[in-house]
Amino acid sequence: GQQCGLVSSTRAAQSRSLACFTSTVSGLKAEDDGMEELATEKEAEESHRQDSVNLLTFILLLTLTILTIWLFKHRRVRFLHETGLAMIYGLLVGVILRYGIPATSYHNKTPPSCSLKEGPASTLLLNVSGKFFEYTLKGEINSREIHNVEQNDMLRKVTFDPEVFFNILLPPIIFHAGYSLKKRHFFRNLGSIITYAFLGTAISCFVIGNLMYGVVKLMQVVGQLTDKFYYTDCLFFGAVISATDPVTVLAIFNELHADGDLYALLFGESVMNDAVAIVLSSSIVAYQPSGTNTHMFDASAFFKSVGVFLGIFSGSFVMGAATGVVTALISFFDFTKLHCFPLLETALFFLMSWSTFLLAEACGFTGVVAVLFCGITQAHYTYNNLSEESTKRTKQLFEVLHFLAENFIFSYMGLALFTFQNHIFSPIFIIGAFIAIFIGRAFNIYPLSFLLNLGRRHKIKGNFQHMMMFAGLRGAMAFALAIRDTATYARQMMFTTTLLIVFFTVWVFGGGTTAMLSWLHIRVGVDPDQDLQPCGDSFQSKTKQESAWLFRLWYTFDHNYLKPILTHSGPPLTSTLPSYCGPLASCLTSPQAYENHEQLRDHDSDLIRNDSDLTYTFGDTAITANGASGSGGDGAGGSGWSVNGKRSGSTSEEALERELDSREQELLSRGTRLVFPIEDHV
Amino acid sequence: GQQCGLVSSTRAAQSRSLACFTSTVSGLKAEDDGMEELATEKEAEESHRQDSVNLLTFILLLTLTILTIWLFKHRRVRFLHETGLAMIYGLLVGVILRYGIPATSYHNKTPPSCSLKEGPASTLLLNVSGKFFEYTLKGEINSREIHNVEQNDMLRKVTFDPEVFFNILLPPIIFHAGYSLKKRHFFRNLGSIITYAFLGTAISCFVIGNLMYGVVKLMQVVGQLTDKFYYTDCLFFGAVISATDPVTVLAIFNELHADGDLYALLFGESVMNDAVAIVLSSSIVAYQPSGTNTHMFDASAFFKSVGVFLGIFSGSFVMGAATGVVTALISFFDFTKLHCFPLLETALFFLMSWSTFLLAEACGFTGVVAVLFCGITQAHYTYNNLSEESTKRTKQLFEVLHFLAENFIFSYMGLALFTFQNHIFSPIFIIGAFIAIFIGRAFNIYPLSFLLNLGRRHKIKGNFQHMMMFAGLRGAMAFALAIRDTATYARQMMFTTTLLIVFFTVWVFGGGTTAMLSWLHIRVGVDPDQDLQPCGDSFQSKTKQESAWLFRLWYTFDHNYLKPILTHSGPPLTSTLPSYCGPLASCLTSPQAYENHEQLRDHDSDLIRNDSDLTYTFGDTAITANGASGSGGDGAGGSGWSVNGKRSGSTSEEALERELDSREQELLSRGTRLVFPIEDHV
């Protein structure tokens, strides 16, 4: 693990940032009295200072961003999101670094060189008059650049190891996203979200990949292509650029309290498709056809890639979910005393999440994906077991980490436009890419929405589809995937293009969100807790809208078996398991569950918070979780938990419906007024 | 910044961990189609997995530690602190790694070697049939070990870069310590703390250094010394081992609510002497006499070292305090709106603290010291400006970071005993060191206490002195300083010895704290808010105990001028500045200050919380900050803030005194009972 600056392909690159943590000092029994006086000492000191200055630059950038956001929030400016702002500051600093500082270097000489017949090994020994020195491989270097190795050190210095993005900055962002998914709306739209994320991303990847291959062919014809650019490269670009990140749009949605379902669709899709895109890109890299016709279609290699995709994805998923469940169990079994030590609880929670990432990486899976599903699982189960104090602490801890990491990535993007030294700006490729991502997004959203609407009772309406089309911004994940490997001509061109696409979409689409919301007549100002989706259809038709069998099945299983085992909420197992499982059930049920069952007000589960709502939602699977149903059970019998039982009194439903309709009118009128609001509801 | 595994002396080593963050990938326009197929790829993948496994080991260790602490806290076990526990787990894992896993290596061959006439440069080019590869220097290697370079990779892998301790793990620990210093008791004992920390550490360093030089000479005589060991090395050891860290003792003090003054003395001393030790060790490294007689005394070099010490220390101090003040000002000027965005506030606070560290490092000062004083300043000023929400968040964030970092260091120490490969166990040196640190501590505590007692009205009593002597544990800072450079024979021997001293003191002294408290009859069970220090002397003699002119001067200046300018607490400037400064004063005073002045109950300043207490404490400088004095001012006049005015009614003092005396009796009786308590007061 010593190759801190090694350039090569994905896996090799991946080894770096962790390698930097576990370095290898002790093994060398050095007698370096002689070395201490070397120029290395001075250089190292200089380099250390330089490193501090670089990091300081970023910290100050972030500080500046925060101060400005503050001002913006204070003045209620909404056309520029903090991430967009961070990019602008990054750009400014990049310009200063590039053009403002004279390119002096502290020594200009070409480094000493030596020749060997064998290929490069990772470790090389240098014999200087009997003394041996150990050297590590940093990477291949173009013969033209030999004399510049030290010269462009200044700009190279502000270039972070790409794996820092993957191993340090992305995990908190992704985990936080997963952790925030604990929303009723998310689970209600799970089917659609999964469809968009998996099928949609795959479609987008292939559409973009093929279109870009056309663009590349065109470039070849007009002589704009100076190096190799394979079909697999195009597909890789498709995967990279298919990771959407509508952070700007979602922030505005959040602030304006836009429609919950649309929010859930967009947020869920963007979180899940990050995972899909990252695994997809790994699979495409793994696609190596045998024989002469490399980089063209080969069935066996293709299926191998598909296998890699499924293997990595399901492995990471299982690993993440498993760790989440383990956390839930740990926090479950110690439930009485853990609450007294919120610091320990928070620390444990943090460590378990991090170990998921490391475990997945250690097993060859994708840590980021594992962390995502760990976050979702923890939000669903562990969260319910934590003390209120810990819940708050954990949330805040990840909030701060997520905030810092996100703004760091975006300000780095701005910086990279000027400080990255191997940009390849190809106008044809860039224009082609802009058109391709537009078409790719359209092929993702519209056909899939049409198909989903066939199955959904609660259709995804036209204006929602347009909004989803519009919200296909690119962000942190696309950037991290693109910067991961910038060794070849093709990858460098992709990186430059990705950067420009991120800038454009974040600034233009992000800035235009409020205008678009108003233009598409999407309601805002919805109180999330009261949002029962009276979307204009008649109420009866909606009652079955989410009764997709998959969701129903999952919900029943989760609510009756998993929740009682893993958390203190949900009904006691004694009431949900068949009677012959009685002893087992009472052994697994926590005493608190009975109490909860008595109270029947489960304050931390969003899924069953608005119980009366759920009663309607499931239509024929009415899980009457509310005491208001009048049949509150008292422990063993579980008469209140009438799964598969119908709910009788429809008169009360009609009354509620009328009430809701009138409220919705109010919300709608408030909503349209609020597209450019005076913000009187904050 | 590419030398991720370079072994050399302090500064060179320092460049590593930051260098790992800002790596240098983009500069290389590589055409590495050829490289992708290399064995490097496989190796890198393997190495990446190995790295993940290593980090995972630590994370699981920490998790285990946390789970056990939990159990301990639950069972109220007090003989083993979490840090001691972390070390034990570390030891166990170390044993497994060392002896449990067969020392297979994935390839055993000697790396290729090439010869050059010139000395080693930091960058080397390798020419393999026309292709150039860049290599970076990792360090000198003993000719005996050439064949083992790859072999002991396994154990080398779990060895962290020492600079990780300095640049990543220590800052949160130190910052948190500084941040927690905001205690009335600390400021009341400031003079004594500074004396112990500066004079005491210097005494300890020289006493230990000289004693160890004697030990080294003895070893030379009996033929136990196999390599060079200079006088400066001995002094360096003295500086390293003078950094005390009574974390275990303080945890128990905290839990048992032991005497506040003793706590403040111990905590303050340990925090400050970390800073002194780190700068002292740098100064000793900087001590390089000219001429032939190197490593012996040289006046000019000595004064240069003293200059370095003063320069680094004061530079770091000023930098830290300045950043703290800047944070205070930022949070002061935006006081109205900042409170609405606690996330931004916390992030800003975090970034400013980190930038202090980086700024100091960039300027060649000591980041850790700067962070310490930044923490103290922020605790004193910024803290008062933060919203309640932010205050809590910030505190919790640093608490978690501090907790994780501390336990990580201690579990790593346990691990290092078996996995570090260059231990030199020298029984004579180790026994000598144990005796030397005992003597050094005695020369620090007893003479200084005697001198301080000449000036203090409230004497540091014998049992307090013994307790301070006993609480001279060594911990994270000594370890971090010792592992920073383990290149030479002398340094390796020091590292081994330091490790053993830390183990011994943490386990034995840490474990014996409760017994010692009871044996020395030190009172516990003191309510910190009610602790008015009626320590057996007559009350009158105590009233002047803290009226040290330095403290009085500082307090007056701080309270009347700094606090009003930097925070919203304290009196309005209009009442403290002379009348001719009127316009300036009213311009600098925040509107809130007037309100506070009205209320006269400043809830977040510990210094003036127990105002009635302060009235007595200052005797002739009675700052009557409590409305109970009957002369509550109403804004401009400031009649309530009668600096240098005497307080009249002594009858009420006597009444209070009697009351306090009786309460003290109660506390004392409760206290002795509580040394092995049933914990009825928690």
Side-chain angles (χ1 to χ4, degrees):
Chain A
Q2 293 92 273
Q3 298 122 332
C4 274
L6 178 86
V7 179
S8 70
S9 74
T10 321
R11 269 292 162 188
Q14 213 170 29
S15 86
R16 253 170 287 143
S17 85
L18 285 176
C20 291
F21 274 98
T22 62
S23 176
T24 59
V25 169
S26 59
L28 311 170
K29 167 137 177 79
E31 299 168 338
D32 55 357
D33 287 332
M35 269 186 67
E36 277 189 21
E37 275 75 44
L38 287 175
T40 320
E41 176 81 353
K42 267 251 162 69
E43 254 177 55
E45 187 170 342
E46 185 57 42
S47 145
H48 172 68
R49 279 192 203 180
Q50 189 57 51
D51 289 336
S52 300
V53 171
N54 296 335
L55 254 183
L56 194 61
T57 309
F58 284 103
I59 304 295
L60 292 181
L61 263 180
L62 283 184
T63 312
L64 206 64
T65 310
I66 289 173
L67 289 176
T68 321
I69 298 168
W70 205 343
L71 204 76
F72 275 26
K73 292 223 170 181
H74 179 27
R75 304 231 174 282
R76 302 198 191 285
V77 175
R78 200 169 288 133
F79 61 85
L80 188 57
H81 186 248
E82 57 211 56
T83 51
L85 196 73
M87 289 199 303
I88 293 177
Y89 282 130
L91 276 177
L92 292 178
V93 173
V95 169
I96 294 169
L97 281 181
R98 182 65 178 264
Y99 304 107
I101 298 172
T104 52
S105 91
Y106 35 93
H107 56 117
N108 261 326
K109 61 178 200 293
T110 309
S113 124
C114 80
S115 298
L116 273 185
K117 293 239 169 71
E118 322 158 47
S122 61
T123 304
L124 181 76
L125 293 181
L126 178 68
N127 183 346
V128 182
S129 48
K131 280 190 167 185
F132 284 91
F133 296 91
E134 193 179 359
Y135 279 80
T136 38
L137 180 64
K138 221 175 94 190
E140 193 179 346
I141 187 163
N142 197 301
S143 50
R144 281 174 285 144
E145 302 229 350
I146 288 173
H147 304 285
N148 294 336
V149 172
E150 302 283 341
Q151 204 157 25
N152 44 28
D153 227 36
M154 172 68 216
L155 287 179
R156 283 164 62 186
K157 273 293 181 54
V158 288
T159 311
F160 272 69
D161 187 325
E163 293 308 307
V164 167
F165 295 105
F166 263 85
N167 294 331
I168 295 172
L169 297 173
L170 276 188
I173 295 180
I174 300 287
F175 182 85
H176 184 257
Y179 204 65
S180 317
L181 272 185
K182 183 191 157 67
K183 286 266 173 291
R184 200 162 28 107
H185 288 292
F186 170 71
F187 284 100
R188 291 211 296 209
N189 294 293
L190 195 61
S192 307
I193 289 170
I194 288 177
T195 310
Y196 284 123
F198 282 79
L199 214 56
T201 307
I203 290 173
S204 168
C205 170
F206 280 94
V207 168
I208 295 175
N210 284 305
L211 286 173
M212 290 322 289
Y213 193 59
V215 171
V216 166
K217 284 279 164 218
L218 176 73
M219 284 168 72
Q220 219 163 19
V221 169
V222 300
Q224 289 277 312
L225 203 67
T226 58
D227 210 332
K228 286 165 258 171
F229 207 123
Y230 298 110
Y231 180 65
T232 44
D233 289 330
C234 294
L235 278 185
F236 181 81
F237 181 70
V240 163
I241 211 70
S242 291
T244 60
D245 180 13
V247 51
T248 321
V249 173
L250 291 174
I252 291 170
F253 270 41
N254 219 355
E255 207 176 335
L256 296 181
H257 300 284
D259 186 274
D261 276 310
L262 183 57
Y263 184 91
L265 282 174
L266 267 177
F267 186 49
E269 186 219 348
S270 75
V271 170
M272 298 289 250
N273 84 2
D274 280 356
V276 175
I278 191 174
V279 182
L280 207 55
S281 65
S282 304
S283 313
I284 291 168
V285 169
Y287 174 82
Q288 285 175 326
S290 55
T292 49
N293 204 6
T294 54
H295 299 280
M296 286 311 290
F297 188 76
D298 176 298
S300 73
F302 173 76
F303 285 112
K304 203 185 138 210
S305 273
V306 171
V308 167
F309 177 87
L310 294 177
I312 294 183
F313 198 93
S314 54
S316 309
F317 170 79
V318 167
M319 198 151 275
T323 327
V325 167
V326 167
T327 330
L329 282 176
I330 287 179
S331 55
F332 178 76
F333 282 123
D334 284 288
F335 59 91
T336 40
K337 299 298 163 191
L338 178 51
H339 293 194
C340 314
F341 311 108
L343 173 65
L344 296 186
E345 220 175 1
T346 313
L348 192 70
F349 201 80
F350 177 79
L351 289 176
M352 293 293 286
S353 316
W354 197 15
S355 61
T356 309
F357 176 83
L358 293 171
L359 195 65
E361 291 287 323
C363 298
F365 297 123
T366 307
V368 169
V369 176
V371 154
L372 169 65
F373 290 104
C374 176
I376 295 177
T377 316
Q378 291 195 338
H380 199 55
Y381 300 115
T382 317
Y383 201 78
N384 292 324
N385 295 339
L386 292 179
S387 66
E388 209 174 319
E389 171 76 13
S390 292
T391 311
K392 223 174 150 189
R393 274 183 180 228
T394 316
K395 218 172 176 173
Q396 288 172 353
L397 178 68
F398 283 110
E399 208 175 48
V400 170
L401 291 179
H402 158 258
F403 178 81
L404 291 175
E406 194 170 75
N407 284 293
F408 186 92
I409 290 192
F410 278 88
S411 67
Y412 185 78
M413 278 192 231
L415 196 79
L417 189 65
F418 286 97
T419 57
F420 181 74
Q421 295 190 303
N422 298 311
H423 278 304
I424 298 178
F425 290 95
S426 159
I428 300 180
F429 192 85
I430 291 165
I431 294 168
F434 269 96
I435 297 169
I437 62 162
F438 186 80
I439 297 174
R441 183 86 188 153
F443 270 87
N444 170 356
I445 297 299
Y446 295 116
L448 287 185
S449 301
F450 175 76
L451 286 177
L452 286 170
N453 278 344
L454 294 181
R456 279 174 76 108
R457 292 301 290 262
H458 173 225
K459 312 292 185 204
I460 301 168
K461 285 181 298 177
N463 59 348
F464 279 27
Q465 294 179 27
H466 299 321
M467 194 66 217
M468 287 188 74
M469 178 75 205
F470 178 83
L473 280 74
R474 268 63 174 180
M477 182 56 85
F479 169 77
L481 282 171
I483 204 178
R484 198 168 198 176
D485 180 3
T486 52
T488 64
Y489 172 82
R491 294 288 165 86
Q492 286 163 5
M493 195 184 277
M494 283 178 209
F495 177 64
T496 307
T497 310
T498 306
L499 217 50
L500 292 177
I501 288 174
V502 173
F503 287 155
F504 184 81
T505 55
V506 168
W507 285 331
V508 175
F509 293 145
T513 306
T514 35
M516 200 67 182
L517 273 176
S518 131
W519 194 62
L520 290 175
H521 297 293
I522 290 170
R523 69 196 184 120
V524 293
V526 181
D527 183 344
D529 283 334
Q530 299 296 327
D531 175 21
L532 303 182
Q533 294 192 312
C535 289
D537 314 282
S538 95
F539 200 83
Q540 280 312 331
S541 77
K542 281 192 302 87
T543 54
K544 284 188 183 171
Q545 72 193 30
E546 329 304 338
S547 63
W549 61 271
L550 182 72
F551 176 69
R552 220 184 317 158
L553 205 73
W554 160 250
Y555 179 82
T556 313
F557 180 72
D558 177 55
H559 185 260
N560 288 346
Y561 305 107
L562 290 182
K563 280 230 165 189
I565 291 174
L566 296 174
T567 75
H568 304 300
S569 58
L573 274 179
T574 42
S575 66
T576 55
L577 279 178
S579 56
Y580 57 83
C581 300
L584 179 71
S586 56
C587 155
L588 285 172
T589 302
S590 85
Q592 265 174 271
Y594 294 108
E595 287 169 39
N596 289 347
H597 193 206
E598 288 294 312
Q599 295 172 7
L600 283 168
R601 268 263 143 222
D602 177 4
H603 75 284
D604 37 21
S605 160
D606 270 344
L607 253 177
I608 56 171
R609 175 179 286 164
N610 295 292
D611 307 291
S612 60
D613 175 29
L614 272 175
T615 308
Y616 298 110
T617 307
F618 293 102
D620 52 347
T621 320
I623 296 160
T624 315
N626 199 319
S629 70
S631 60
D634 54 0
S639 58
W641 300 94
S642 56
V643 181
N644 291 322
K646 293 238 180 217
R647 190 140 186 293
S648 46
S650 66
T651 44
S652 63
E653 284 182 26
E654 282 157 17
L656 183 60
E657 184 190 341
R658 273 191 302 274
E659 193 203 319
L660 286 168
D661 272 349
S662 66
R663 188 189 301 153
E664 191 227 344
Q665 291 308 321
E666 189 200 327
L667 281 172
L668 265 176
S669 64
R670 239 179 111 206
T672 40
R673 188 160 49 84
L674 274 168
V675 173
F676 289 114
I678 325 294
E679 284 268 311
D680 53 356
H681 68 288
V682 170
Chain B
Q2 294 92 273
Q3 299 120 332
C4 275
L6 179 85
V7 179
S8 71
S9 74
T10 322
R11 268 292 162 189
Q14 212 171 32
S15 86
R16 254 169 285 142
S17 85
L18 285 175
C20 292
F21 274 97
T22 62
S23 178
T24 58
V25 169
S26 58
L28 311 170
K29 168 134 174 84
E31 297 167 338
D32 55 356
D33 286 335
M35 269 184 69
E36 277 188 21
E37 273 76 45
L38 286 176
T40 320
E41 175 83 352
K42 266 251 160 68
E43 254 176 58
E45 188 169 341
E46 185 56 42
S47 144
H48 172 68
R49 277 191 204 183
Q50 189 58 52
D51 289 336
S52 300
V53 171
N54 295 337
L55 254 184
L56 193 62
T57 309
F58 285 103
I59 303 296
L60 292 182
L61 264 181
L62 284 183
T63 312
L64 206 64
T65 310
I66 289 174
L67 289 175
T68 320
I69 299 169
W70 206 341
L71 205 74
F72 276 26
K73 292 222 173 187
H74 178 28
R75 304 230 173 281
R76 302 198 190 285
V77 174
R78 201 171 284 134
F79 62 85
L80 189 57
H81 185 250
E82 58 211 53
T83 51
L85 196 72
M87 288 198 303
I88 292 177
Y89 282 131
L91 276 177
L92 292 178
V93 174
V95 170
I96 294 169
L97 282 181
R98 182 65 178 264
Y99 303 108
I101 298 171
T104 52
S105 94
Y106 35 94
H107 55 117
N108 260 327
K109 61 177 200 293
T110 309
S113 126
C114 79
S115 297
L116 273 185
K117 292 239 172 73
E118 321 158 48
S122 61
T123 304
L124 181 76
L125 293 180
L126 178 68
N127 183 345
V128 182
S129 48
K131 278 191 168 184
F132 284 91
F133 296 91
E134 193 179 1
Y135 281 80
T136 41
L137 179 62
K138 221 175 92 187
E140 192 179 346
I141 188 162
N142 197 302
S143 50
R144 283 174 284 144
E145 301 229 351
I146 287 174
H147 304 283
N148 294 335
V149 171
E150 303 281 341
Q151 204 157 24
N152 44 28
D153 226 39
M154 172 68 214
L155 288 179
R156 283 164 63 186
K157 273 294 179 55
V158 287
T159 311
F160 272 68
D161 187 326
E163 293 307 306
V164 167
F165 295 105
F166 262 86
N167 295 332
I168 295 172
L169 297 174
L170 277 188
I173 294 179
I174 302 286
F175 182 85
H176 184 256
Y179 203 66
S180 317
L181 272 184
K182 181 192 159 67
K183 287 268 174 288
R184 200 164 28 109
H185 287 291
F186 171 70
F187 283 99
R188 291 210 298 208
N189 294 293
L190 195 62
S192 308
I193 289 171
I194 288 176
T195 311
Y196 285 124
F198 281 80
L199 215 56
T201 307
I203 289 172
S204 168
C205 169
F206 280 93
V207 169
I208 295 175
N210 284 305
L211 286 173
M212 290 320 289
Y213 193 59
V215 171
V216 166
K217 283 281 164 215
L218 176 73
M219 285 167 72
Q220 220 163 18
V221 169
V222 300
Q224 289 276 312
L225 204 67
T226 58
D227 210 333
K228 286 164 254 171
F229 208 122
Y230 299 110
Y231 180 64
T232 44
D233 289 328
C234 293
L235 278 184
F236 181 81
F237 181 70
V240 162
I241 211 70
S242 291
T244 60
D245 181 13
V247 50
T248 321
V249 174
L250 291 174
I252 291 170
F253 271 41
N254 220 355
E255 209 175 333
L256 297 181
H257 300 285
D259 186 273
D261 276 309
L262 183 57
Y263 184 91
L265 282 174
L266 269 177
F267 187 48
E269 187 219 348
S270 75
V271 169
M272 299 289 249
N273 85 2
D274 280 357
V276 175
I278 191 175
V279 182
L280 207 55
S281 64
S282 304
S283 313
I284 291 168
V285 169
Y287 175 81
Q288 286 175 326
S290 54
T292 49
N293 204 6
T294 53
H295 299 281
M296 286 311 290
F297 187 77
D298 177 298
S300 71
F302 173 76
F303 285 113
K304 205 187 136 207
S305 272
V306 172
V308 166
F309 177 87
L310 293 177
I312 294 183
F313 198 94
S314 53
S316 309
F317 170 79
V318 167
M319 198 151 275
T323 327
V325 167
V326 168
T327 329
L329 283 175
I330 287 178
S331 54
F332 178 76
F333 281 123
D334 284 289
F335 61 92
T336 40
K337 299 298 162 193
L338 177 50
H339 293 194
C340 314
F341 311 108
L343 174 65
L344 295 186
E345 219 175 2
T346 312
L348 192 70
F349 202 79
F350 177 79
L351 290 177
M352 293 293 287
S353 314
W354 197 15
S355 62
T356 309
F357 176 83
L358 293 171
L359 194 66
E361 290 289 320
C363 297
F365 296 124
T366 307
V368 170
V369 177
V371 155
L372 169 65
F373 290 104
C374 176
I376 296 177
T377 317
Q378 290 195 340
H380 198 56
Y381 300 115
T382 318
Y383 201 78
N384 291 323
N385 294 339
L386 292 179
S387 66
E388 209 174 318
E389 170 77 13
S390 292
T391 311
K392 222 174 149 190
R393 273 182 180 231
T394 315
K395 220 173 176 174
Q396 287 172 354
L397 178 69
F398 283 109
E399 209 174 46
V400 171
L401 292 180
H402 158 258
F403 178 81
L404 291 176
E406 195 170 74
N407 283 294
F408 186 92
I409 290 191
F410 277 89
S411 68
Y412 185 78
M413 276 191 233
L415 196 79
L417 189 64
F418 286 98
T419 56
F420 182 74
Q421 296 190 302
N422 298 312
H423 278 302
I424 298 179
F425 290 96
S426 160
I428 302 180
F429 193 84
I430 291 166
I431 293 169
F434 269 95
I435 297 169
I437 62 162
F438 186 80
I439 298 174
R441 183 86 188 152
F443 271 89
N444 170 356
I445 298 297
Y446 295 117
L448 287 184
S449 302
F450 176 77
L451 286 177
L452 285 170
N453 279 344
L454 293 182
R456 280 174 78 109
R457 292 301 290 263
H458 173 223
K459 312 293 185 203
I460 300 168
K461 284 182 298 177
N463 59 349
F464 279 28
Q465 295 179 26
H466 299 320
M467 193 68 217
M468 289 187 73
M469 179 75 205
F470 179 82
L473 281 73
R474 269 63 176 181
M477 180 57 84
F479 169 78
L481 282 170
I483 205 179
R484 198 168 199 176
D485 179 4
T486 52
T488 64
Y489 172 81
R491 294 286 164 86
Q492 286 163 5
M493 195 185 278
M494 283 179 209
F495 176 64
T496 307
T497 310
T498 306
L499 217 51
L500 291 176
I501 289 174
V502 173
F503 288 155
F504 184 81
T505 55
V506 167
W507 285 332
V508 175
F509 294 146
T513 307
T514 35
M516 201 67 181
L517 274 176
S518 130
W519 195 63
L520 292 174
H521 298 293
I522 289 169
R523 68 196 184 120
V524 294
V526 181
D527 183 345
D529 283 335
Q530 299 296 327
D531 175 21
L532 304 181
Q533 293 190 313
C535 288
D537 315 281
S538 95
F539 199 83
Q540 280 312 331
S541 77
K542 283 193 300 88
T543 53
K544 285 186 181 172
Q545 71 192 32
E546 331 297 343
S547 62
W549 61 270
L550 183 72
F551 176 69
R552 219 185 316 159
L553 205 74
W554 160 249
Y555 180 83
T556 314
F557 178 72
D558 177 55
H559 184 260
N560 289 346
Y561 305 108
L562 289 182
K563 280 230 163 186
I565 291 175
L566 296 174
T567 75
H568 305 300
S569 58
L573 275 178
T574 42
S575 66
T576 56
L577 279 178
S579 56
Y580 58 82
C581 301
L584 178 70
S586 56
C587 155
L588 283 173
T589 302
S590 84
Q592 266 175 270
Y594 294 108
E595 286 169 39
N596 289 347
H597 194 206
E598 289 294 316
Q599 295 172 7
L600 283 169
R601 267 263 145 219
D602 178 4
H603 75 284
D604 37 21
S605 160
D606 270 341
L607 253 176
I608 55 171
R609 176 180 284 165
N610 295 291
D611 308 291
S612 60
D613 176 29
L614 271 176
T615 310
Y616 298 109
T617 306
F618 292 104
D620 51 347
T621 322
I623 295 158
T624 314
N626 198 320
S629 70
S631 59
D634 54 0
S639 57
W641 302 93
S642 58
V643 181
N644 291 321
K646 293 241 179 208
R647 190 138 187 294
S648 48
S650 65
T651 45
S652 62
E653 282 181 29
E654 281 157 18
L656 184 59
E657 184 189 342
R658 274 192 301 275
E659 193 204 317
L660 286 169
D661 272 348
S662 66
R663 188 189 300 153
E664 193 225 345
Q665 291 307 322
E666 190 201 327
L667 282 173
L668 266 177
S669 63
R670 238 179 112 206
T672 41
R673 190 161 47 82
L674 274 167
V675 172
F676 290 115
I678 327 292
E679 284 267 314
D680 53 358
H681 68 287
V682 171

